[in-house]
């Protein structure tokens, strides 16, 4: 990518029976300034466009970089379906199709064919029902790239990262160790510098317990683990706030003091973010050697095939991928 070419983005359609293909069709119809390459079955994209009442100009991807793209025009890397989709009803026969899309996008990012990948929602249960162990996009791309990663959920107003993700609440305290927190904070700090262009990132770290443990009266994880680690990393020059009580960390006066938040567990911070910016929140995988953004919602099987699904999250994910790719090209 150079100053005259558009960011070249691989966009995967996700679960064929979900809303992803329709969202991708609406993205293709937009005038967003990106060289969009759909990673999907060409016929599926055509059928999704018809459901949405869109007339798209779909071409085979020749690998050439574009300096402009007309609204309604998109190139496609054809990944054949295992079986014809039935909207609202995922079929494990299409599990390999979904994984092949992700593999093609990852390989293209790793070899420089794409500047970023934007992913549509997948149905993890359907892939596992096909006998293929699959825990999610994040883990798939991390394994492909041989990287340690961190999940970030970002809106225009707030960036939240997670020390632990999809764990039962009872398993969180034992999972929150000093090595985990150190690895996570280093990945977040490095990504804020390299991807977001923040020279000296300020990271707010939430406590695990109510009132950040209240001096040990509500739990000792802050005293025994979190505080000693933060003090050591501050000694290296990292700008870290906390541990902060989660119930006051998101008030406006506090937000002015940090660039991102590290939460200890999934539901500690994400309800705040999603309640105020659900349709503008983007899932970003930090730590990969390439840019990956995603919608922050599921396959919405109840809406699939209706043409009514809201594309706002996919548009937000694509805009952020464009911004990150351009920033990287200028760095």
């Amino acid at each position: 990518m150079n100053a005259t070419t558009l960011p070249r983005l691989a966009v995967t359609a996700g679960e064929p029976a979900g809303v992803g293909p329709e969202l991708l069709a609406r993205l293709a119809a937009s005038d967003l300034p990106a060289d969009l390459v759909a990673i999907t079955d060409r016929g599926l994209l055509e059928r999704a466009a018809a459901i949405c009442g869109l007339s798209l100009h779909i071409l085979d991807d020749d690998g050439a970089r574009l300096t402009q793209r007309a609204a309604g025009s998109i190139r496609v890397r054809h990944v054949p379906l295992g079986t014809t989709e039935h909207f609202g009803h995922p079929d494990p026969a299409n599990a390999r199709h979904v994984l092949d899309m992700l593999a093609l996008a990852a390989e293209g990012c790793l070899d420089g064919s794409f500047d970023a990948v934007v992913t549509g929602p997948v149905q993890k249960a359907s892939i596992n029902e096909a006998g293929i162990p699959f825990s999610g996009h994040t883990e798939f791309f991390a394994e492909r790239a041989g990287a340690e990663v961190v999940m970030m959920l970002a809106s225009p107003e707030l960036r939240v990262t997670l020390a632990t993700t999809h764990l039962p609440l009872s398993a969180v305290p034992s999972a929150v160790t000093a090595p985990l927190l150190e690895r996570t904070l280093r990945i977040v700090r490095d990504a804020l510098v390299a991807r977001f262009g923040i020279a000296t990132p300020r990271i707010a770290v939430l406590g695990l317990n109510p009132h950040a443990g209240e001096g040990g009266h509500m739990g000792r994880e802050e005293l025994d683990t979190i505080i000693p680690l933060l003090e050591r990393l501050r000694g290296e020059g990292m700008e870290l706030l906390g541990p902060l009580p989660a119930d006051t960390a998101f008030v406006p006066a506090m937000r002015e003091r940090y660039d991102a938040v590290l939460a200890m567990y999934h539901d500690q911070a994400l309800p705040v973010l999603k309640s105020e910016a659900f349709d503008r929140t983007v899932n970003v995988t930090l730590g990969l050697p390439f840019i990956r953004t995603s919608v922050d919602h599921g396959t919405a099987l109840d809406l699939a095939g209706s043409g009514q699904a809201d594309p706002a999250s996919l548009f937000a994910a694509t805009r952020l991928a464009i911004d990150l790719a351009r920033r990287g090209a200028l760095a």
Side-chain angles (χ1 to χ4, degrees), residues 256-270:
E256 296 176 359
R257 299 176 57 191
Y258 55 74
D259 301 298
V261 173
L262 175 63
M264 294 296 111
Y265 55 92
H266 186 278
D267 284 7
Q268 188 178 40
L270 296 194

Side-chain angles (χ1 to χ4, degrees), residues 114-159:
F114 301 120
D115 299 313
V117 55
V118 181
T119 56
V122 297
Q123 191 78 5
K124 288 184 279 190
S126 184
I127 299 172
N128 283 288
E129 286 169 12
I132 306 171
F134 180 80
S135 38
H137 280 108
T138 302
E139 296 81 2
F140 181 93
F141 287 129
E143 183 178 354
R144 283 271 164 169
E148 291 187 307
V149 301
V150 173
M151 180 187 295
M152 171 184 279
L153 285 301
S155 75
E157 298 83 16
L158 184 62
R159 303 182 187 97

Side-chain angles (χ1 to χ4, degrees), residues 4-300:
T4 62
T5 59
L6 295 173
R8 182 169 156 82
L9 309 184
V11 188
T12 62
E15 165 57 49
V19 295
E22 294 160 67
L23 302 182
L24 177 50
R26 294 200 180 279
L27 181 68
S30 77
D31 61 356
L32 288 181
D35 175 5
L36 302 176
V37 180
I39 313 295
T40 186
D41 182 288
R42 181 173 182 144
L44 172 61
L45 181 58
E46 291 170 345
R47 292 187 290 274
I51 287 170
C52 296
L54 300 172
S55 178
L56 300 181
H57 185 48
I58 303 173
L59 300 170
D60 292 330
D61 178 43
D62 60 4
R65 289 185 172 266
L66 303 180
T67 58
Q68 57 184 357
R69 179 188 67 87
S73 175
I74 192 167
R75 293 184 290 177
V76 65
R77 290 276 188 97
H78 177 68
V79 179
L81 287 168
T83 187
T84 302
E85 77 286 350
H86 295 283
F87 290 113
H89 302 281
D91 192 326
N94 278 322
R96 181 51 57 189
H97 159 80
V98 173
L99 296 180
D100 287 348
M101 283 192 293
L102 301 183
L104 194 158
E107 290 162 9
C109 287
L110 289 169
D111 69 19
S113 299
F114 301 120
D115 299 313
V117 55
V118 181
T119 56
V122 297
Q123 191 78 5
K124 288 184 279 190
S126 184
I127 299 172
N128 283 288
E129 286 169 12
I132 306 171
F134 180 80
S135 38
H137 280 108
T138 302
E139 296 81 2
F140 181 93
F141 287 129
E143 183 178 354
R144 283 271 164 169
E148 291 187 307
V149 301
V150 173
M151 180 187 295
M152 171 184 279
L153 285 301
S155 75
E157 298 83 16
L158 184 62
R159 303 182 187 97
V160 171
T161 59
L162 301 176
T164 66
T165 52
H166 301 121
L167 286 182
L169 194 56
S170 61
V172 170
S174 61
V176 176
T177 63
L180 169 73
L181 294 179
E182 179 173 358
R183 176 186 68 83
T184 303
L185 284 166
R186 291 190 186 281
I187 291 172
V188 173
R189 187 271 314 274
D190 291 349
L192 290 171
V193 173
R195 298 291 189 207
F196 291 84
I198 302 171
T200 308
R202 303 164 302 164
I203 304 171
V205 180
L206 303 186
L208 174 65
N209 297 296
H211 300 177
E214 204 165 275
H217 295 288
M218 291 192 182
R220 291 198 55 86
E221 286 84 0
E222 288 77 14
L223 292 177
D224 295 342
T225 302
I226 301 175
I227 291 173
L229 173 68
L230 298 188
E231 290 178 347
R232 178 162 62 83
L233 294 180
R234 288 188 190 108
E236 297 181 11
M238 292 180 68
E239 292 208 14
L240 304 171
L241 284 71
L244 302 177
D247 61 349
T248 56
F250 298 101
V251 300
M254 285 300 301
R255 290 194 193 191
E256 296 176 359
R257 299 176 57 191
Y258 55 74
D259 301 298
V261 173
L262 175 63
M264 294 296 111
Y265 55 92
H266 186 278
D267 284 7
Q268 188 178 40
L270 296 194
V272 175
L273 182 64
K274 293 190 178 186
S275 67
E276 66 179 37
F278 182 77
D279 61 348
R280 295 176 293 126
T281 298
V282 178
N283 187 330
V284 189
T285 305
L286 308 182
L288 291 172
F290 54 85
I291 296 162
R292 180 257 169 162
T293 67
S294 178
V295 297
D296 187 32
H297 60 70
T299 53

